[in-house]
Amino acid sequence: MIRIRPLVKYCIIGGAVASTALSLKCNQYEWDSIGIVRFSRAVVTVFNIGVIYKRDLYGRGLNKQSKEYKDLKSVCHKRCANKLLDLCCTNRGVYIKVGQHIAALDYLLPSEYVQTMKVLHSEAPATDVEDIIQVLKEDLKQDPYAIFDSISAEPLGTASLAQVHKAVHKDGSMWAIKVQHPYVQGNSRIDMKTMEYLVKLMSWVFPEFKFQWLVDESKKNIPQELNFVLEGQNAEKIAKLFEKIGWLKIPKIRWDLTTPRVLTMEFVEGGQVNDLKYIQSNDIDACEVSDKLGKLYAEMIFIHGFVHSDPHPGNILVQKNQSGGCNIVLLDHGLYANLSDEFRINYANLWLSILDRDRKSMRLYSKKLGIEGDAYGLFACMVTGRTWDTILKGIDRHTISKNEKDFMRQNFTGILPQISSVLENVNRQMLLILKTNDLMRGIEHTLRTGARMGAFRVMSQCCVHSVYNQKYQKCKNSIDRIKITLAEFWALLKIKIYYTFLNLRHISGI
């Protein structure tokens, strides 16, 4: 239960520390960027959220098992989520990035928070085009209209750290210019420090909840995402890794018009991956979209260890190709997970043990990923997005039902301390993978393609390739190589037979 007076005292102390430690002004664009103003706004929001729960929920003395309490709790969650959304939209920048991360935590937070914050994936606040032009002038060292005939006044899309405008070059070619919001660089250090104070405040009020992992990951990832030169390099690296896949499109980078705050890339048309109306009107098979995305991300994770870690719908486009199928266009390459070989192999073995329903191996590989003891069961549920009962029955045999989703939503939020403990202890590389998994499941849910069998087949094949590739590297003679080749062939053949059988059962309705 929240104690209001200590909370007020802590907020005052935190504000005093912050006002001393943080600079008063971050950049030349707007007075709202004064660090103490942003910090105070965040503290007031957190305090008001605490008051809502203290006064309007816990203060009523209701039975926590009663319907009245549960309905009231949902109302309070929604009110508090809206306050948090208002804070993100007002402070913008890093706050929106964190809000987007919250929107991906289906397994961790109440649905009222997740659904409220999802609007930030597609409707982040935009910066006035005059300020965008100013950034272009500063970074390109000349008037942008000396380079481009036109720059669209309305952005093609707006994200937490930047927005994209369509531009026509003097030579007639079309480009998409990603321009960083002018206030982001200066505010990011202040915002991260504010987040750290607020997380300490939450840990003090709710000692059973551990959110330091969120601060640590944000402090590590935000500087990378603010460097658009690194984003361009990531785009070229992933294009090179998948150059043999004709249906994957990565916009080409124009390096002479790219700086740390400006990224000029090939303009590519298409519809958002979650736009069912676009997909249907263009005669695109939603299952094909899901299958290609599944193959793409399985190879990223288990084969290459270089994973695009922000696959929310605004960053993935689909388009009809000339052969009648569809292309996948991958945008926003600012955040990638670089997986070590050891992590990649352990994670592949964990998935194989889950698919095999091998509890002993699940425990073993969960331990190798940082999860000790019986928490391996909860960890497996977080990785798969399924209940433990379904995992034991076989997640590849049973499609997720509405009842299972409702059960997870109601029960996962009731064990938040255990989940936050898992996130605090798990291998740091796993955090971006969990976020990626959740976003991919969200896309499948929107496309209504979660019942297909091909996803697990492709994942199993990639896991097997990953495990046996490591064994090849340790070979010392040709006889061992032949043995491993035969073993891998047999493992892949069993997968093919098994999933062919499951598919036949699914078709026949058995």
Side-chain angles (χ1 to χ4, degrees):
M1 188 173 293
I2 298 173
R3 294 168 289 177
I4 299 299
R5 287 184 179 176
L7 183 58
V8 173
K9 179 180 178 182
Y10 195 95
C11 291
I12 293 171
I13 293 173
V17 171
S19 63
T20 302
L22 306 179
S23 60
L24 288 179
K25 193 167 180 63
C26 307
N27 59 51
Q28 70 272 35
Y29 289 102
E30 52 182 337
W31 78 273
D32 182 53
S33 296
I34 299 174
I36 192 61
V37 173
R38 299 169 65 79
F39 179 87
S40 299
R41 186 184 290 136
V43 169
V44 168
T45 298
V46 171
F47 175 75
N48 287 336
I49 287 173
V51 169
I52 288 174
Y53 284 116
K54 167 70 175 180
R55 182 190 61 202
D56 298 341
L57 182 61
Y58 304 135
R60 297 290 184 88
L62 298 174
N63 184 337
K64 292 187 177 182
Q65 303 304 318
S66 68
K67 183 178 185 302
E68 183 182 3
Y69 176 85
K70 293 178 180 178
D71 291 343
L72 184 58
K73 182 171 69 170
S74 178
V75 171
C76 289
H77 282 338
K78 184 64 177 176
R79 288 173 60 197
C80 294
N82 283 328
K83 284 187 176 295
L84 192 58
L85 178 63
D86 289 342
L87 173 66
C88 292
C89 291
T90 303
N91 275 5
R92 299 190 282 183
V94 171
Y95 285 83
I96 290 180
K97 177 60 66 175
V98 173
Q100 290 175 339
H101 194 78
I102 289 173
L105 300 178
D106 285 302
Y107 57 86
L108 181 59
L109 297 176
S111 61
E112 292 85 357
Y113 280 90
V114 173
Q115 295 305 319
T116 298
M117 304 306 281
K118 278 186 176 179
V119 70
L120 294 175
H121 282 315
S122 57
E123 298 180 24
T127 295
D128 291 340
V129 70
E130 291 81 8
D131 289 336
I132 293 298
I133 297 299
Q134 180 63 29
V135 175
L136 290 172
K137 282 182 180 179
E138 292 175 1
D139 280 43
L140 300 181
K141 309 301 182 186
Q142 59 180 309
D143 185 346
Y145 291 105
I147 305 171
F148 300 101
D149 273 336
S150 65
I151 300 173
S152 64
E154 292 296 320
L156 296 172
T158 303
S160 54
L161 306 180
Q163 61 194 53
V164 179
H165 291 257
K166 181 179 179 181
V168 180
H169 196 271
K170 291 290 185 181
D171 64 10
S173 58
M174 287 192 296
W175 299 89
I177 311 175
K178 183 176 180 179
V179 185
Q180 203 167 106
H181 298 305
Y183 51 81
V184 168
Q185 284 281 359
N187 288 341
S188 62
R189 291 184 294 275
I190 303 294
D191 293 345
M192 290 312 307
K193 185 61 67 174
T194 302
M195 270 189 61
E196 198 155 13
Y197 282 122
L198 294 178
V199 165
K200 287 178 181 177
L201 173 60
M202 290 181 67
S203 298
W204 182 72
V205 177
F206 302 105
E208 70 272 25
F209 299 155
K210 300 177 178 66
F211 285 100
Q212 186 60 39
W213 61 270
L214 181 57
V215 174
D216 294 340
E217 284 303 296
S218 297
K219 287 171 71 173
K220 181 183 74 174
N221 295 331
I222 293 297
Q224 296 180 46
E225 294 186 81
L226 289 172
N227 184 353
F228 289 175
V229 172
L230 177 61
E231 178 173 345
Q233 292 169 347
N234 287 340
E236 291 193 339
K237 180 176 178 178
I238 202 71
K240 180 69 175 175
L241 289 174
F242 289 92
E243 61 184 348
K244 294 182 179 179
I245 297 182
W247 47 260
L248 177 63
K249 304 298 178 184
I250 308 294
K252 294 181 174 60
I253 306 301
R254 180 152 181 172
W255 286 108
D256 61 323
L257 297 176
T258 293
T259 72
R261 292 197 300 169
V262 176
L263 179 64
T264 304
M265 52 194 157
E266 175 188 6
F267 176 75
V268 181
E269 293 186 289
Q272 278 193 190
V273 69
N274 65 339
D275 188 346
L276 275 176
K277 184 177 180 181
Y278 175 90
I279 289 173
Q280 292 166 356
S281 63
N282 285 271
D283 195 27
I284 295 173
D285 184 354
C287 285
E288 181 186 355
V289 173
S290 285
D291 285 342
K292 287 181 173 177
L293 277 176
K295 176 179 173 59
L296 175 64
Y297 273 85
E299 290 195 16
M300 282 185 191
I301 293 171
F302 299 112
I303 305 299
H304 301 295
F306 187 63
V307 188
H308 180 281
S309 296
D310 201 12
H312 70 72
N315 289 340
I316 303 175
L317 303 181
V318 293
Q319 55 182 211
K320 191 79 170 178
N321 60 31
Q322 294 179 346
S323 64
C326 71
N327 293 331
I328 304 294
V329 182
L330 205 56
L331 307 174
D332 196 336
H333 301 272
L335 184 60
Y336 271 76
N338 285 282
L339 309 180
S340 68
D341 288 343
E342 181 184 10
F343 172 87
R344 188 167 48 81
I345 300 304
N346 286 332
Y347 186 50
N349 277 309
L350 174 65
W351 260 108
L352 289 174
S353 67
I354 290 172
L355 293 171
D356 288 342
R357 295 170 286 166
D358 183 344
R359 297 175 66 169
K360 184 177 179 181
S361 293
M362 278 188 243
R363 182 187 287 269
L364 170 65
Y365 290 107
S366 293
K367 184 176 181 179
K368 288 178 180 288
L369 292 170
I371 306 303
E372 299 280 353
D374 292 337
Y376 80 92
L378 175 58
F379 182 50
C381 293
M382 292 167 64
V383 167
T384 61
R386 307 296 294 272
T387 63
W388 181 242
D389 284 345
T390 304
I391 290 173
L392 294 182
K393 292 176 183 176
I395 60 173
D396 53 354
R397 298 184 177 195
H398 301 274
T399 59
I400 190 165
S401 64
K402 184 179 183 302
N403 287 338
E404 185 179 0
K405 288 180 183 177
D406 291 342
F407 178 85
M408 290 183 63
R409 186 176 294 113
Q410 293 166 9
N411 288 274
F412 264 38
T413 54
I415 54 172
L416 179 54
Q418 294 92 321
I419 294 175
S420 62
S421 179
V422 167
L423 295 173
E424 188 77 10
N425 294 310
V426 75
N427 186 305
R428 298 294 91 184
Q429 297 171 84
M430 193 72 223
L431 295 175
L432 283 178
I433 299 299
L434 287 171
K435 173 189 173 184
T436 302
N437 288 349
D438 285 341
L439 287 169
M440 293 298 292
R441 279 194 287 268
I443 290 172
E444 286 191 349
H445 174 71
T446 303
L447 296 179
R448 303 167 192 162
T449 56
R452 73 196 199 290
M453 296 294 173
F456 292 117
R457 177 175 178 172
V458 170
M459 183 182 294
S460 300
Q461 290 169 334
C462 286
C463 288
V464 167
H465 283 309
S466 180
V467 170
Y468 279 92
N469 281 345
Q470 184 196 42
K471 293 181 179 181
Y472 276 119
Q473 294 173 10
K474 295 181 178 180
C475 279
K476 296 182 179 180
N477 55 62
S478 57
I479 295 177
D480 286 342
R481 291 192 184 92
I482 291 173
K483 290 180 179 178
I484 291 171
T485 300
L486 292 174
E488 181 180 16
F489 173 79
W490 176 238
L492 292 173
L493 180 61
K494 286 192 294 184
I495 289 172
K496 183 176 181 179
I497 294 171
Y498 175 68
Y499 283 102
T500 299
F501 171 72
L502 281 186
N503 195 46
L504 289 173
R505 283 187 60 188
H506 179 72
I507 293 172
S508 61
I510 297 176

